[in-house]
Amino acid sequence: MKIDLHMHSLVSDGTDSPAELLAKVREAGIGIFSLTDHDAIKGCMAIIGLLQEGDPAFIPGAEFSCRDELGKYHILGYGYNVRTGAMPGFIESSHNLRMQKLEARLDYMESELGISFPVQAREELFSLDNPGKPHIAKLMVRYGFAQSKEQAFYEILNHLPVLTSYIRPEQAIEAIIAGGGVPVLAHPSYGDGDQLLMGEEMEQRIRRLMGFGLRGLEAFYSGFTPQLRDEILGYADRYDLYVTAGSDYHGRNKMIVLGDTGLDETETRTERLESFLKDVMHEG
Amino acid sequence: MSEKEKIRLSGRIDSNNAPQLETDLLATLAGKNSTAIEFDAKDLEYISSAGLRVLLRIRKTYPDISIVNVSQEVYDIFDMTGFTEMMDVQRAYREVSIEGCEEIGRGANGRIYRIDQDNVVKVYKNPDALEDIKHEREVAKLALILGLPTAISYDVVKVGDSYGSVFELLNARSFSQILASEPEKMDWCVDEFVKLLRKVHDTEVPEGKLPDMKETAISWVQFLQDYLPNREWMKLMDLVQAVPKDNHMIHGDYHTKNVVLQGDEVLIIDMDTLAVGNPVFELASMFNAFIGFSEYDHVHVLHFMGFDYETSTEFWHRVLKAYLNTTCEAKVREVEDKARIIGYTRLIRRHIRRGGLETPEGKAEISFWKQKLISLIDNTDNLTFSLDEFETDASTERLADVQQFISEKLERADCPMKVCMQIEVAVEEIFVNIASYAYAPLSGKAKVRVELSDNPSSVSITFIDHGVPYNPLAKVDPDVHAEASDRPIGGLGIYMTKKMMDDVTYEYKDGENILTLKKNL
């Protein structure tokens, strides 16, 4: 059975609406799927409302960009309670934090660098579910503050003072567990953006996050080479962790094919994925 | 038509510009029929995991991705993350200058220079030589696995506009250098040169691993179609076609610049011409290197080998004798003539292709070889040889050569003097018979094979000719008790032969008279 537990809708930075995404999941013949928008639950609510008899099994999900003194992490939460408990509140505060950061950035740019945008453009930005640096870069190009998005990043955005408020990995993990879900480390080899972790560095990270309650690793991932995948599967065995499979599909924003997780029918190392599914689908 | 799309990557690729890169790549590739992409990473300084992920995604749509000119730093990232196993990632090539470096070897595809005390570089003639380099590396590895002492390149470099492969060759001296500076080492050189040659020729190669030299030789012959009289050309083609398939290795360019002494080890280098085939093809290229190439103008060999034509001739001759394990000059000539046929064929083709017919000297040189080739073709029935066989003209003048060839084998077998003399008498009877009657009034070839066996210790000598069917044993034995004046002339020789040998048999098979003498030792 095809499984894809990592994808984004336009509620975060994908390009498909939840309804479009569901249609594509059906078409791709995926049997079990999860929607994992950044800091957002809206998409999952929409999917739950759209599901019909005979549809693929759905697991509510979310992805949190976290950081602490030691690095950046993407933490996935699966099978949590979408209506009550800790998760809805945590997701709202994550979203608010993102909005605060955006505001702080824009204010700094305006006061210190003289870069300001028309009110309408600013409002547009805040109306997005998940606005971030790429969206500011786009505006900078549109209003002539940079010639390219790249230039916007290199010359301005990467040099803005780092905001001290961010989600720490233990906060995300604790909230997911409190909300009845299972916390999983997304694409472990690629921390966030440019990070590449392997070997001892990887292992230390896993052990530290396990201390906070991490329970699984996304070992099957569209962006992994067989070598990276095997390394993560090795850690799952060593530390008795669940394994998940996800594509990180973003619609037209990235060239990722829905359902492409690097997990094919010939794969025999699926025991830890199966026990994960049993866990989240019974409890979720 | 699908073709390879070439795309340059430059600067840093990280999470800031990776999405843009992805968008740009898709825009570039949209509407093109490319199925393969070659990324030129010459100016790529860094790639982060965000960039790696873009490449993996591109690969989903364009499975045939290669990345060339990758710096060591970036290569390490690809290597560590397993990309080098998923796609073709090629390092950028170090640049090496050969200015002022000593040329120590020369082959069909390139020249070898010593770049420092420990390393040599082979510079390829073909500017697009990466495939050649890969080929040579593979065949050298194969040779090493099959037990031949050789050097394997450890790095590919850029030399001007060409590519080179670098080998570690510590204080090595080529046999050419040794022969040029220490002529007293000729004996030692001959022994080692032949020992290694035998080792090459004794090496069996798994099917399909190396090209078949016979096919190459056929292509040389095909080239000569317009340059040889039709009768000779057809016979030449038949001769080459008739060479049996052989799965033993031949080096293809075995001469004294390609055999080197490193410490006390003798190595063979320049492996790109490795092939399988009958050893006659090897001897042909050796003949060319030592003789053929400079037969018209002797100065060539001095330029190429560093020693003079006389030394070259002597070395070649001694090598051939040692290789054939014989002192019989006629046997050496037989094999050399077969090698020369292929050798001249190749030389003529090579010279014509290099514009040899456009200058008077070139024409003279080609016509010199052509005449020799034609006369050799007319006088040869096959191109194979065996160490146990001697093939010569069926002519009484050749009897001494036949006797020499046989007696050498008998001496090595510690054959008693009396038996040697009996055999000599029998051989004379049979060979003179063949020389006189088999082809009369024309002429032809006869082959003599000597086989020794133990337990019980015995020797068989077989005579083969293609003449008229004739069984000398069918004659009624003469009445030896009759008065000499009453006996008919002839027939006594065969009678004596039968008496002195332990067994004499005759058969006519496939157009050949086959007569075998057997004597217990």
Side-chain angles (χ1 to χ4, degrees):
Chain A
M1 190 201 296
K2 264 175 134 179
I3 295 167
D4 189 346
L5 304 176
H6 190 162
M7 60 187 77
H8 298 265
S9 75
L10 50 68
V11 169
S12 60
D13 53 353
T15 58
D16 295 330
S17 70
E20 286 166 337
L21 197 57
L22 177 59
K24 285 182 182 173
V25 167
R26 287 178 186 139
E27 200 182 325
I30 293 168
I32 304 172
F33 77 111
S34 176
L35 174 60
T36 50
D37 278 317
H38 296 285
D39 313 329
I41 206 166
K42 261 167 69 178
C44 288
M45 304 288 278
I47 297 272
I48 290 168
L50 292 165
L51 284 173
Q52 293 169 6
E53 188 77 22
D55 262 342
F58 177 70
I59 301 166
E63 184 174 17
F64 301 99
S65 308
C66 309
R67 62 193 282 181
D68 61 12
E69 302 71 26
L70 294 171
K72 297 176 174 183
Y73 322 78
H74 283 196
I75 306 282
L76 294 160
Y78 288 111
Y80 54 85
N81 197 320
V82 295
R83 291 190 179 81
T84 58
M87 276 299 270
F90 179 70
I91 284 173
E92 200 189 328
S93 61
S94 314
H95 182 73
N96 290 343
L97 185 60
R98 188 179 275 268
M99 291 303 179
Q100 281 165 23
K101 272 180 173 175
L102 176 69
E103 197 163 7
R105 277 196 184 112
L106 292 175
D107 289 350
Y108 181 89
M109 285 167 72
E110 191 164 343
S111 62
E112 304 298 319
L113 307 172
I115 297 173
S116 64
F117 305 113
V119 179
Q120 199 192 340
R122 211 179 146 109
E123 273 172 11
E124 221 172 82
L125 209 51
F126 279 94
S127 72
L128 295 173
D129 278 311
N130 206 341
K133 282 200 276 188
H135 304 95
I136 306 179
K138 225 172 174 176
L139 285 185
M140 286 175 65
V141 176
R142 197 197 299 167
Y143 294 101
F145 294 107
Q147 286 178 340
S148 66
K149 283 198 326 193
E150 268 173 55
Q151 194 199 5
F153 272 103
Y154 284 130
E155 294 185 0
I156 310 289
L157 296 172
N158 286 350
H159 307 294
L160 296 180
V162 178
L163 283 159
T164 47
S165 54
Y166 41 76
I167 305 174
R168 300 180 62 88
E170 59 266 37
Q171 290 176 297
I173 291 172
E174 279 162 20
I176 293 165
I177 294 171
V182 176
V184 171
L185 181 59
H187 40 73
S189 310
Y190 304 132
D192 176 79
D194 295 326
Q195 275 187 316
L196 177 64
L197 286 111
M198 294 181 76
E200 206 171 313
E201 222 182 339
M202 176 87 263
E203 189 161 2
Q204 279 175 7
R205 167 167 290 199
I206 292 170
R207 290 164 65 134
R208 211 160 53 81
L209 295 177
M210 281 175 67
F212 302 140
L214 186 80
R215 294 188 54 204
L217 302 173
E218 188 178 42
F220 296 102
Y221 179 68
S222 62
F224 277 174
T225 60
Q227 186 179 319
L228 296 174
R229 176 200 63 206
D230 291 350
E231 187 185 7
I232 305 302
L233 285 172
Y235 289 127
D237 282 340
R238 187 173 310 165
Y239 295 110
D240 191 23
L241 290 165
Y242 287 141
V243 159
T244 67
S247 66
D248 213 355
Y249 172 76
H250 275 73
R252 288 186 311 280
N253 277 352
K254 288 179 183 170
M255 278 182 289
I256 300 169
V257 177
L258 189 66
D260 174 19
T261 64
L263 171 69
D264 58 41
E265 316 84 67
T266 59
E267 182 60 61
T268 55
R269 296 164 292 180
T270 55
E271 201 188 319
R272 294 180 180 282
L273 173 63
E274 285 160 23
S275 46
F276 167 78
L277 293 170
K278 214 178 269 175
D279 186 342
V280 288
M281 288 167 79
H282 283 182
E283 290 179 19
Chain B
M1 268 293 288
S2 63
E3 46 192 78
K4 194 182 261 188
E5 183 72 24
K6 297 194 178 187
I7 295 172
R8 289 186 84 95
L9 298 175
S10 58
R12 295 170 57 85
I13 300 178
D14 56 27
S15 58
N16 294 325
N17 58 5
Q20 192 58 45
L21 172 71
E22 188 164 346
T23 312
D24 294 348
L25 284 174
L26 287 176
T28 306
L29 295 168
K32 291 192 179 159
N33 292 325
S34 321
T35 53
I37 305 177
E38 182 184 283
F39 289 107
D40 184 346
K42 187 165 179 279
D43 302 320
L44 181 64
E45 293 158 19
Y46 170 77
I47 186 161
S48 79
S49 65
L52 293 178
R53 283 190 271 183
V54 171
L55 291 181
L56 277 182
R57 295 203 282 268
I58 296 268
R59 185 175 163 273
K60 300 271 156 87
T61 319
Y62 302 93
D64 189 2
I65 282 192
S66 54
I67 310 173
V68 301
N69 279 326
V70 180
S71 72
Q72 190 57 49
E73 293 73 24
V74 174
Y75 187 88
D76 287 344
I77 298 175
F78 283 132
D79 193 38
M80 198 171 66
T81 48
F83 273 69
T84 49
E85 287 155 38
M86 291 183 74
M87 49 185 86
D88 180 20
V89 183
Q90 295 170 13
R91 254 180 285 239
Y93 303 107
R94 189 158 61 92
E95 305 220 347
V96 163
S97 164
I98 49 162
E99 220 180 285
C101 293
E102 181 197 2
E103 179 186 322
I104 59 163
R106 194 186 293 189
N109 299 329
R111 297 180 180 203
I112 300 173
Y113 300 87
R114 176 165 289 290
I115 42 177
D116 59 38
Q117 211 182 349
D118 299 340
N119 298 285
V120 301
V121 62
K122 174 171 179 181
V123 182
Y124 289 74
K125 271 184 216 152
N126 177 0
D128 211 12
L130 285 175
E131 283 300 312
D132 297 348
I133 291 175
K134 217 166 118 191
H135 169 75
E136 175 155 14
R137 234 172 141 130
E138 270 166 26
V139 294
K141 257 191 218 159
L142 175 72
L144 203 69
I145 289 164
L146 295 174
L148 292 173
T150 186
I152 289 185
S153 90
Y154 65 87
D155 197 10
V156 178
V157 294
K158 208 68 191 170
V159 182
D161 291 333
S162 313
Y163 288 101
S165 46
V166 183
F167 300 83
E168 194 178 50
L169 217 51
L170 306 156
N171 292 315
R173 294 180 74 209
S174 76
F175 274 39
S176 282
Q177 288 171 311
I178 296 171
L179 285 170
S181 59
E182 298 166 83
E184 69 277 10
K185 290 199 172 152
M186 169 84 80
D187 288 345
W188 178 86
C189 284
V190 169
D191 284 352
E192 294 296 327
F193 193 76
V194 169
K195 220 195 281 173
L196 185 52
L197 181 62
R198 286 225 182 90
K199 201 164 178 176
V200 174
H201 292 180
D202 285 344
T203 302
E204 281 188 49
V205 180
E207 177 82 31
K209 289 276 183 195
L210 292 177
D212 186 349
M213 200 60 196
K214 181 175 157 181
E215 283 167 27
T216 312
I218 287 171
S219 75
W220 296 339
V221 175
Q222 268 159 353
F223 184 89
L224 291 199
Q225 183 162 21
D226 297 337
Y227 302 99
L228 282 182
N230 195 43
R231 196 172 72 92
E232 274 74 19
W233 181 78
M234 276 171 37
K235 186 166 174 196
L236 176 58
M237 186 57 101
D238 289 343
L239 286 172
V240 176
Q241 295 276 15
V243 175
K245 198 172 160 63
D246 194 325
N247 66 346
H248 288 84
M249 186 184 286
I250 50 183
H251 179 269
D253 201 14
Y254 195 80
H255 57 65
T256 44
K257 291 190 101 168
N258 284 337
V259 175
V260 299
L261 177 67
Q262 174 174 264
D264 51 11
E265 199 185 6
V266 178
L267 302 180
I268 180 170
I269 57 170
D270 205 6
M271 307 296 268
D272 54 348
T273 49
L274 234 52
V276 291
N278 189 285
V280 74
F281 295 120
E282 184 93 276
L283 297 178
S285 74
M286 290 166 66
F287 169 79
N288 280 355
F290 293 112
I291 310 289
F293 190 59
S294 358
E295 204 172 5
Y296 182 79
D297 184 352
H298 296 185
V299 77
H300 287 322
V301 76
L302 191 61
H303 287 157
F304 182 66
M305 294 288 190
F307 46 70
D308 60 22
Y309 188 70
E310 283 64 42
T311 307
S312 193
T313 312
E314 190 190 345
F315 183 76
W316 159 245
H317 192 72
R318 290 175 61 171
V319 161
L320 196 52
K321 265 163 98 169
Y323 178 74
L324 297 172
N325 193 20
T326 184
T327 55
C328 174
E329 293 293 341
K331 171 69 190 170
V332 172
R333 242 186 346 264
E334 172 214 328
V335 176
E336 185 183 35
D337 282 352
K338 294 177 181 198
R340 284 165 73 203
I341 289 182
I342 316 258
Y344 290 135
T345 299
R346 185 178 186 183
L347 276 177
I348 294 169
R349 172 182 174 274
R350 181 178 184 274
H351 263 58
I352 292 174
R353 277 161 57 104
R354 296 184 177 199
L357 289 173
E358 287 149 29
T359 65
E361 314 89 78
K363 265 190 186 159
E365 198 164 11
I366 289 168
S367 121
F368 171 82
W369 290 324
K370 189 169 145 183
Q371 279 167 21
K372 286 179 182 290
L373 177 59
I374 289 172
S375 113
L376 283 168
I377 292 172
D378 288 342
N379 204 27
T380 303
D381 286 343
N382 68 73
L383 293 178
T384 54
F385 62 89
S386 155
L387 301 192
D388 301 324
E389 288 177 4
F390 172 50
E391 193 177 51
T392 188
D393 295 332
S395 147
T396 49
E397 286 158 33
R398 298 271 85 90
L399 175 63
D401 295 337
V402 172
Q403 297 287 24
Q404 192 199 350
F405 178 74
I406 294 171
S407 68
E408 184 179 75
K409 304 265 179 209
L410 296 179
E411 273 165 38
R412 284 199 192 136
D414 285 331
C415 184
M417 180 65 90
K418 188 187 166 204
V419 175
C420 285
M421 289 174 68
Q422 287 176 324
I423 291 176
E424 201 173 307
V425 171
V427 165
E428 176 172 350
E429 173 61 29
I430 304 296
F431 187 75
V432 170
N433 239 331
I434 294 170
S436 312
Y437 305 116
Y439 300 101
L442 305 169
S443 56
K445 293 273 179 185
K447 203 182 327 186
V448 183
R449 182 188 307 143
V450 181
E451 287 162 301
L452 291 153
S453 55
D454 301 327
N455 230 349
S457 173
S458 68
V459 57
S460 312
I461 298 168
T462 306
F463 295 83
I464 301 168
D465 67 72
H466 297 88
V468 290
Y470 175 66
N471 179 2
L473 308 182
K475 264 195 172 167
V476 179
D477 288 342
D479 180 2
V480 290
H481 302 293
E483 289 294 315
S485 57
D486 294 342
R487 288 186 226 151
I489 297 169
L492 196 58
I494 287 294
Y495 174 72
M496 283 167 63
T497 300
K498 284 201 258 186
K499 279 270 177 214
M500 287 186 292
M501 298 293 110
D502 291 300
D503 195 15
V504 183
T505 56
Y506 168 86
E507 67 172 328
Y508 186 78
K509 200 180 160 194
D510 300 333
E512 291 180 330
N513 289 302
I514 304 167
L515 189 126
T516 303
L517 310 176
K518 190 172 174 196
K519 180 76 183 167
N520 295 329
L521 300 177

